Amino acid sequence: MNHEDLYQKSIDIIIKNQNLTGAYVACPTFPTYNYSWFRDGSYIAYAMDLVGEYDSSAQFHSWAVDNINKRETQIRLLIKGNLNNYEEVLHTRYHLDGDAGIDYWENFQLDGFGVWLWSLYEHIHLSGRKLTNEMEKAIELVSGYLSMLWQEPCYDCWEENRNEKHIYTISCIYGGLKASDLLLGSNSFSGIVRKIKNLILKEGVINGSLCKYLGNGEVDSSLLGVHFPNNVLTTRDPIMRKTVKRIQSELYKAGGIHRYTADTYYGGGIWILLTAWLGIWLVDDGKPKEAKEILDWILSRADTEGQLAEQYDDSLNDPSYLPVWIEKWGASAKPLLWSHAMYIILYRKLNPDR
């Protein structure tokens, strides 16, 4: 299999696993991931826009808009500050028909809604399509929701550390609110956007590097998101550069990237989507040769059917946890649509005229 094959296969896998409702299933063969996350879906939709599959992306955004607008009453109460308990917040994962799951999950996560606003902006920009009244309503609801809750501790993008304020999450809110103002032609959230960036620079930096969450100096690969897609810091910023250098030195092993050093989920292996994320940074930093090496490594991880998993066990932080998770949920999720989406994004970064 070559890159052209995997590129097309990745598109096919995503299209095949988009529900008629527009939702992208996180992984069709992994029961725990038989849901749609705003986070995963927003990156997947962006990948579909990059390859010209605008109808696919539009269907996802329509699903997201419907999901948000039918919860208008709930969201408006939250915007007014009527938060009695954290079961009232918007859930992070949904059944493909849009219903929220009734089983327990780490639902209070804000990053996915910020990424969705960014993804919708990119969809409108790349496809040339127009905002509908229903889209505008959903944008206003989500933006109000994020602007009210952005300072609240919540679960991170790994669905851990409930009581912390995570730099990746905060940066997603930054990127989402900036996208909201661009979409609506307003300046409604510029003040909050400035506050968010100031918070990141004043409290989210330890020894010149971004931290995993406020007060914790550990590095986390999700911090790559501070640059892409949220553009809080550029490749020229010394804080961002030092952060990426730490990611490369502390989390880059056996050709791929770990989430963080203490990760034990499936033993704490190396992740395709994170490795592609580093490749995206390298392209933006003017290092296409190094990014191509990452693209080649991802190709080497694809199985004979062109499927990419969530993570691989070539390098584990703690091998004793691998059998624990396999017994609980089975082998690591494959194909993971977010992995395929990030491969597509990196491929297109390296081949913009494809």
Side-chain angles (χ1 to χ4, degrees):
M1 179 173 292
N2 56 34
H3 282 297
E4 182 65 25
D5 295 332
L6 183 56
Y7 173 72
Q8 189 57 54
K9 184 66 176 179
S10 294
I11 296 171
D12 294 344
I13 286 172
I14 290 171
I15 297 294
K16 178 182 177 182
N17 290 291
Q18 183 171 26
N19 191 266
L20 291 176
T21 61
Y24 296 114
V25 66
C27 178
T29 62
F30 193 71
T32 313
Y33 290 2
N34 283 174
Y35 294 84
S36 187
W37 274 257
F38 270 72
R39 177 192 309 113
D40 299 40
S42 296
Y43 286 105
I44 295 164
Y46 175 65
M48 291 296 94
D49 280 324
L50 289 179
V51 303
E53 292 285 351
Y54 302 127
D55 287 345
S56 173
S57 183
Q59 289 163 18
F60 168 75
H61 287 299
S62 178
W63 174 86
V65 165
D66 290 345
N67 249 340
I68 292 160
N69 287 345
K70 73 181 182 181
R71 294 174 170 85
E72 178 181 4
T73 300
Q74 171 190 356
I75 296 171
R76 293 203 184 279
L77 286 172
L78 292 167
I79 291 173
K80 291 179 180 178
N82 296 324
L83 180 63
N84 297 314
N85 65 74
Y86 286 102
E87 292 304 311
E88 299 173 348
V89 298
L90 291 176
H91 284 201
T92 189
R93 68 171 193 170
Y94 295 86
H95 291 290
L96 303 185
D97 62 6
D99 288 342
I102 60 173
D103 53 326
Y104 172 78
W105 199 256
E106 294 79 4
N107 276 310
F108 186 31
Q109 301 171 39
L110 296 173
D111 64 293
F113 297 101
V115 174
W116 174 68
L117 289 169
W118 160 80
S119 181
L120 179 60
Y121 170 79
E122 292 294 336
H123 172 64
I124 297 299
H125 174 70
L126 292 169
S127 71
R129 300 185 180 188
K130 303 295 184 182
L131 281 179
T132 65
N133 291 336
E134 290 300 300
M135 285 179 178
E136 291 184 1
K137 178 180 175 181
I139 293 166
E140 291 170 353
L141 287 171
V142 169
S143 300
Y145 174 76
L146 292 176
S147 66
M148 175 58 68
L149 296 177
W150 75 270
Q151 298 184 77
E152 290 287 330
C154 66
Y155 289 107
D156 61 18
C157 64
W158 311 131
E159 308 188 321
E160 300 171 345
N161 300 300
R162 161 67 182 83
N163 297 316
E164 307 299 342
K165 298 180 181 180
H166 308 278
I167 299 303
Y168 171 71
T169 295
I170 298 169
S171 78
C172 289
I173 298 172
Y174 171 97
L177 292 179
K178 286 192 72 173
S180 174
D181 275 346
L182 290 171
L183 284 163
L184 300 179
S186 72
N187 201 32
S188 301
F189 300 105
S190 60
I192 294 177
V193 164
R194 284 195 297 272
K195 288 180 180 178
I196 292 173
K197 185 166 184 176
N198 287 338
L199 175 68
I200 291 173
L201 293 177
K202 290 181 179 179
E203 300 184 37
V205 179
I206 296 178
N207 296 325
S209 172
L210 292 169
C211 53
K212 181 178 174 70
Y213 53 78
L214 298 189
N216 181 301
E218 185 178 5
V219 71
D220 189 295
S221 288
S222 66
L223 292 169
L224 290 163
V226 175
H227 165 64
F228 170 82
N230 299 309
N231 200 30
V232 182
L233 301 176
T234 70
T235 57
R236 298 173 64 88
D237 189 284
I239 294 172
M240 195 70 223
R241 297 190 69 82
K242 185 169 183 179
T243 303
V244 176
K245 186 176 181 179
R246 285 190 65 196
I247 290 171
Q248 290 176 298
S249 64
E250 297 177 31
L251 304 177
Y252 188 32
K253 302 174 184 178
I257 296 287
H258 292 263
R259 297 195 299 178
Y260 55 92
T261 55
D263 183 20
T264 59
Y265 179 55
Y266 278 87
I270 46 181
W271 286 54
I272 288 289
L273 69 92
L274 291 173
T275 309
W277 218 328
L278 176 61
I280 293 165
W281 160 273
L282 290 169
V283 177
D284 290 348
D285 195 34
K287 299 174 181 175
K289 182 179 179 181
E290 293 179 34
K292 176 60 165 57
E293 291 173 358
I294 282 178
L295 195 75
D296 291 342
W297 177 84
I298 295 173
L299 177 66
S300 75
R301 308 313 298 163
D303 66 16
T304 56
E305 297 179 5
Q307 298 181 119
L308 297 170
E310 181 174 63
Q311 62 173 298
Y312 295 85
D313 61 4
D314 303 57
S315 170
L316 295 176
N317 292 330
D318 190 336
S320 69
Y321 278 88
L322 180 60
V324 174
W325 283 101
I326 291 176
E327 182 178 356
K328 182 177 181 179
W329 282 350
S332 181
K334 185 175 74 171
L336 189 79
L337 269 64
W338 192 6
S339 292
H340 285 278
M342 296 301 275
Y343 171 80
I344 290 170
I345 295 168
L346 175 56
Y347 181 92
R348 290 305 300 264
K349 276 275 188 181
L350 286 165
N351 301 277
D353 299 324
R354 168 66 174 78

